[in-house]
Structures are given as structure tokens and as C-alpha cells.
Amino acid sequence: MPSKIKNILSSDWQKTAFLLLLVVFAVYLGVHVNDFFVPDSDFFDFRAKAMQIKNFDWPDTFKRPPLYPVTIAFFSAIIPGPHSELVAAELIGVLCAFFSLYLVYKIASHFLGKWGFFVAWMWALHPSTVRMAVKPKSEILVTVFILWAFYFFINKNRRAYLVAFLATLVRYEGAVFIAAIGAADFFFRGEKTKTVFYTIAASAFILIWTLARSGGGQGQSYIHYFDNFSLNIEFVKALVFSFTGFLPLALYKLWVGIALLFIAFGFYRLLRLNVHNTLGLLFYSLGFVGMHVIWISVNYDYMVIIMWAPLIAAAAGFLSLGRKIQNNEKVVRFSAEKLKVIWIASSLIFFILFIYLVQKKMPYPQYNVNWIILSLFIIPGAFFLWHIFINRWSVRGFIPLGLAILLGLAFYANSQTNATMFTIRYSKAEFRRVGEWYEKQYTPGDTLAVAQPVVVAYYTSLDAEQDFLRLTELPELPPEKLHQWLREQGVTYIAWLSSNRLFETDNAWYQWQMEHRGWKNIAFLSAGTSQHGFTLIKRIDIGPRWAFIYKI
């Protein structure tokens, strides 16, 4: 190795470890970017708004705050091709993920010193991160604004409120964050009048937006979503599962208990070190949970917005416990006297775990691990551990044990990420295949009745308004009369998609979709047989998804 490179690696090894992590993260994202047949359904609403904005036609209604479609419009204006908005959204996601990783590293290092590296390492690996870095949705954009604002906050910079204001232009979590840092500043920082002013000013937009007529679907305010209010306690379970769900199912309740104890102990220790900064983190975490408990949907896409906070707290709890053990005189004396024994025992644990994981059979192929990616993530982690422990004789024997912990975390996190990406890859894939089939069969005057025509038509040259009929436009009629009505409307085909399945669930969002998107009206077509004048002409299978197409 050239001496200059060797000197850099040894003298500034913390930066080197993080740069290695950035490179590995880039490879990780590169494996998964655009690895889907159809973008998430929300993208099509963002795309429609972005296309209007590009044409200097401000949309009449927004379902969400406007900054994300505005950003897509800006980037897509300089990107050629028929899918410029999708490419722009994916570019935004990747850039935000990189900046977020840097901010997680800086924030975690502020709380944990050099050990903040491992929070960044775990955040990069966590299934919630890659999930939203590659999905063309707004969650990763609001995440980077909240992280950026929190970085200013812990450095006592009032620009935190300006960046938090930008977060409110993306999603409502920005308002929760403003309230959190406003409360922490008010109670534990001087200039209370200025704090109140900044808090109100930063929150003004989202308050007006929420109450304004343009703030909800079909021109209604978001307030109407609470007409039938009930607490969404399922979200708390989903949040806990999102944080720990990648860990082995064996003894899963034990893992959850340990993780929650580390988080609680971590917040306790951090509060003793810096009340102001820790309360900002704690208030935001509690506010985030509270916000989503009163919201209708349990959506794992939201988790990336908060996941960095419990990771910091859990790491703080784990490190505090580690320091207590390390400072114990008996442990120090034993480590010094039994260094070889510890080396051998730690190495044995590592190799046993390695052999177990290599030969481990996963329940489904999508859970298989990418060993190249896993090995790449181990490199910056091992590099960091080596420099931390090698000159500390009392603990250097634990290096292999540390590698075993990293290996286990990386293995199960990558396994869960691959399973998650499998789901994303095939989510609504049958929509695209139905659209491609329809385009080949299409003759002028044909109409296909189908769920979400804008999604089905995206990869075709067909018009989502002229060549399709939404299921929501179908009247509630028995099959024979529905067939007659469709013929009278000139509908040529109707498609039942596996996404339209009816099933028992406690998830309020799926219950709403089954009730309001016309799924029940065509449930009889799920049989996949000709009936009541509906002639089955095509079955489409793609991965775990399928569709039946009927001739009217």
C-alpha cells in the first residue's frame, strides 16, 4: 500500500470509515434503484401535480403539501425522456438518502462521539432506509429536512426553524418537529419571545394549509378525515416492528424487550448529558407517535422519518451499559489476564455464527441474503472496530465478538430489506402487464374497466381518461345487470387484479379501499371463470401477482 494512502487511513481513520460507508451505501442503493415494475401509487398524484406546475398551471387541489411535486417539476424539466418525472423522483430520493446518512452521522456523533458511526452504519442498513430511498415518494425528502433542522437545533442555530418550515411544505411531520424544538428551546434556552415568534412563523404555512379548502382531496380540508375519529393504536405496534422486525423471529419478544430497554435507558443517559438537545429528540419522537396514532393509516413508508431517533437512543443505552461493564475493575483485570482466552472465545463465536448464517435456509427465496453487499458493509464496520480497540489492551480481545454482532445485524437487516424490495418490485406489477396487454389488443373505441387507470396506462401510449373506465364509476348492481350496464356504456373489457382481493383485516386503510374503490362490486370476477356474460379471455401472472381479463 502506498505510504500516503496508509498515512491517511491511519491518521484520519474516522472520516475514512465514514467515506467507506458512503461508498458501500451507494452500491447498496444502486442495486435497488428502479427495481420495480410499477412506481408506488402515490407517485402518480405527485407526477400529475408536477406536470401541471411545469406547464405553469397551478393545481386547483392538493392532497399533500406542494414542495415535493414542485421539486419533481424542477428536476424533470432538465431530464429528457417520457418518464422524466419518475427519474427526477428517483434522483431526489437517492440524493436525499445520501445527505440524510451524512446528517445521521453528524447528529449521532454529537450525542455519542465517535460511536455515532455505528448509528449511521445501522441506519444505512436498516430496511426502512432503502425502502424509501428508492420509492418515488415524499417521505425521504421530509426526512432530510427534519434531520437538517435538527442538526441546526443541536448546534443552537435558529436556522433550524427555517429548514423545519421547508419540512412542513413536504409533509405534516414537519409541524410536529417545529413543536418539539420550539418546546425544548422555550424551556431550556434563553430569548423565549424569539422562540415563540420563530415557532409560530415556521408553523404558519401548515396551519393555513390544513384549514384551507385546497388542503384536502377533492377540494376539502384535511380536517374532514377526522369525521369518524378513532385512535390508531396499531401504528405503535407497526413502529416497534419496523424498528426490530428484521431481527430473528426466534425469541423475538426478547429482542423487542431488549431494544425498548436500550431506548429508554439511552434517553435517560442522554438527558443527563444534555437536557435541551435530548428533549428536542424525545419530544419529536413522542409527537411523531402521537400524530400517527390519530391518523387513519398504518404505513411502513412513514418509519424512515423517525427511525434515526430510536437508533440514537438505543445506541446510547447500549454504550452506557458497555461502559459500565468496561469500568468494572474485575472485568478490566480479567480482560488483561485472560486476553488470549477472550480472543479465542470471541473468534469462536464469530466463526460459529458465520457458519450458521452461511448454511441457514430461509423460509422464502426473497429473504436470501446478498453476501456481496453484506461483506461490503462489514468492511467499514471492521475498519472502525479495529481502530477503536486495537490499542486498548483491556478490550481488544472483543474485536471478533464485535464483528459477530455486526455480521448478525447486517445479515438479518439485508435479509429483511431483500424481502421488502421483493414486495416493492411486484407491488401492482399486474397493473403494468394488463396495460401492456391492452395496448396490444386495443382498437379505436375500446374501453377497459379497471382499478386506477392512471397506473395501468403509465407504461402505454393510451389515454387514462379516454380509453379506460374507473371501477369507482361502476354502479352497485348484480353481475347480470352490471354486464348489461357495461355494454350500454361501450365497455369492451374489464380486469380483476390481485390487488383487488377482499380479505379480513384490522387495517383501516385497506378497509377503506375495499369499501370505496369498487373492489366489492367486481369480487365475483376473482373466480377466474366465465360467468354472467363476462368471458374470461386472459390470465396474467407476474411474480406473486395475477390478473383476469374478461371480454364484455
Side-chain angles (χ1 to χ4, degrees):
M1 180 183 292
S3 58
K4 181 179 283 189
I5 296 177
K6 190 173 182 180
N7 289 336
I8 292 174
L9 291 178
S10 59
S11 63
D12 209 0
W13 60 268
Q14 292 184 53
K15 289 183 179 178
T16 302
F18 182 69
L19 288 174
L20 287 172
L21 179 61
L22 279 177
V23 172
V24 174
F25 189 56
V27 175
Y28 201 28
L29 293 185
V31 170
H32 295 296
V33 167
N34 202 239
D35 186 21
F36 48 71
F37 287 93
V38 175
D40 187 275
S41 296
D42 286 351
F43 163 74
F44 296 95
D45 179 64
F46 292 127
R47 175 177 179 261
K49 300 296 188 291
M51 292 175 71
Q52 285 185 267
I53 293 167
K54 277 199 300 185
N55 293 323
F56 301 100
D57 177 20
W58 191 254
D60 293 328
T61 61
F62 281 89
K63 290 176 66 177
R64 307 165 182 88
L67 185 56
Y68 186 60
V70 168
T71 310
I72 292 176
F74 175 79
F75 279 96
S76 64
I78 56 175
I79 296 174
H83 304 301
S84 58
E85 292 82 18
L86 178 57
V87 175
E90 292 178 316
L91 177 62
I92 292 166
V94 170
L95 293 176
C96 287
F98 273 108
F99 191 28
S100 294
L101 178 59
Y102 171 74
L103 290 167
V104 168
Y105 173 65
K106 296 295 287 185
I107 292 167
S109 297
H110 177 88
F111 283 103
L112 308 173
K114 56 182 174 291
W115 293 101
F117 168 83
F118 281 114
V119 174
W121 183 86
M122 193 63 241
W123 188 86
L125 258 172
H126 199 276
S128 65
T129 301
V130 176
R131 176 192 184 98
M132 298 317 300
V134 302
K135 266 193 172 188
K137 292 184 65 181
S138 60
E139 282 82 356
I140 194 68
L141 181 59
V142 78
T143 299
V144 77
F145 280 136
I146 287 174
L147 285 166
W148 195 9
F150 193 74
Y151 177 73
F152 281 134
F153 167 76
I154 59 178
N155 285 288
K156 295 182 171 54
N157 190 322
R158 295 287 189 180
R159 280 179 287 183
Y161 291 91
L162 174 60
V163 180
F165 160 73
L166 294 178
T168 68
L169 299 182
V170 183
R171 284 183 59 90
Y172 282 84
E173 287 84 358
V176 173
F177 181 79
I178 291 170
I181 63 172
D185 275 350
F186 184 82
F187 290 113
F188 294 97
R189 189 177 175 186
E191 301 178 307
K192 295 185 186 301
T193 303
K194 189 176 288 188
T195 295
V196 172
F197 171 77
Y198 281 123
T199 302
I200 294 174
S203 306
F205 166 80
I206 201 64
L207 291 173
I208 295 170
W209 180 271
T210 303
L211 298 173
R213 187 169 177 77
S214 64
Q218 280 125 23
Q220 300 180 66
S221 168
Y222 273 112
I223 296 297
H224 84 281
Y225 288 143
F226 298 98
D227 290 345
N228 300 308
F229 171 73
S230 63
L231 290 176
N232 184 14
I233 303 301
E234 286 298 313
F235 179 81
V236 179
K237 296 179 182 178
L239 178 59
V240 172
F241 183 78
S242 181
F243 183 69
T244 60
F246 66 93
L247 296 172
L249 290 179
L251 303 176
Y252 177 68
K253 290 183 179 179
L254 176 63
W255 305 131
V256 171
I258 292 172
L260 293 179
L261 283 174
F262 277 147
I263 290 171
F265 187 53
F267 271 120
Y268 168 75
R269 293 295 299 170
L270 292 176
L271 280 169
R272 295 187 64 181
L273 294 173
N274 190 315
V275 175
H276 171 263
N277 293 349
T278 306
L279 278 183
L281 188 68
L282 182 60
F283 287 163
Y284 170 60
S285 301
L286 295 175
F288 179 90
V289 173
M291 169 188 171
H292 287 282
V293 164
I294 64 173
W295 187 243
I296 185 174
S297 177
V298 175
N299 192 329
Y300 285 93
D301 292 353
Y302 304 154
M303 305 308 176
V304 70
I305 306 171
I306 189 65
M307 202 52 61
W308 56 277
L311 282 173
I312 290 174
F318 180 80
L319 288 173
S320 295
L321 179 62
R323 289 192 180 106
K324 281 185 176 297
I325 295 172
Q326 182 185 338
N327 293 334
N328 186 290
E329 292 184 9
K330 293 181 179 179
V331 173
V332 173
R333 187 164 57 252
F334 177 82
S335 299
E337 294 173 353
K338 306 293 184 181
L339 184 59
K340 284 187 177 181
V341 174
I342 293 172
W343 261 107
I344 294 170
S346 294
S347 300
L348 191 60
I349 291 172
F350 174 81
F351 283 114
I352 290 173
L353 178 64
F354 177 75
I355 292 169
Y356 168 75
L357 295 177
V358 166
Q359 59 80 43
K360 183 175 176 60
K361 300 294 183 184
M362 292 302 186
Y364 301 100
Q366 57 264 38
Y367 285 90
N368 288 338
V369 166
N370 185 328
W371 277 96
I372 295 176
I373 293 295
L374 191 152
S375 302
L376 288 175
F377 265 103
I378 293 297
I379 291 172
F383 179 84
F384 187 90
L385 278 179
W386 178 264
H387 281 83
I388 283 286
F389 287 144
I390 194 60
N391 292 320
R392 301 171 68 182
W393 287 93
S394 62
V395 293
R396 65 188 300 183
F398 292 99
I399 291 177
L401 180 61
L403 286 175
I405 294 173
L406 295 184
L407 176 63
L409 289 173
F411 180 91
Y412 287 104
N414 182 246
S415 174
Q416 183 61 48
T417 297
N418 290 342
T420 298
M421 294 309 300
F422 177 86
T423 301
I424 292 172
R425 182 180 308 124
Y426 288 106
S427 179
K428 298 189 176 179
E430 75 272 31
F431 284 62
R432 178 171 178 172
R433 287 292 185 258
V434 167
E436 292 168 344
W437 175 89
Y438 181 44
E439 184 173 39
K440 292 177 182 177
Q441 304 298 318
Y442 179 80
T443 58
D446 283 348
T447 300
L448 170 67
V450 69
Q452 296 182 275
V454 68
V455 179
V456 177
Y458 181 64
Y459 287 101
T460 74
S461 59
L462 301 175
D463 190 296
E465 297 295 330
Q466 301 297 322
D467 302 318
F468 295 86
L469 182 71
R470 294 178 179 85
L471 293 186
T472 51
E473 297 180 44
L474 272 56
E476 294 184 14
L477 296 170
E480 295 87 349
K481 291 187 177 181
L482 179 60
H483 179 267
Q484 181 182 347
W485 183 88
L486 289 168
R487 284 181 64 86
E488 291 171 355
Q489 302 302 313
V491 176
T492 322
Y493 307 99
I494 187 169
W496 179 91
L497 311 172
S498 57
S499 296
N500 305 148
R501 297 191 304 279
L502 303 181
F503 55 93
E504 293 292 330
T505 178
D506 294 328
N507 188 298
W509 174 238
Y510 278 106
Q511 290 175 351
W512 185 92
Q513 290 185 94
M514 287 187 280
E515 289 291 337
H516 296 91
R517 289 194 170 173
W519 296 2
K520 289 186 175 180
N521 213 19
I522 64 165
F524 66 95
L525 297 178
S526 64
T529 58
S530 299
Q531 53 184 309
H532 308 296
F534 295 87
T535 304
L536 180 68
I537 59 173
K538 182 70 174 177
R539 174 179 174 130
I540 292 174
D541 291 281
I542 177 168
R545 300 282 184 160
W546 70 97
F548 299 127
I549 302 174
Y550 296 84
K551 179 79 173 177
I552 305 300

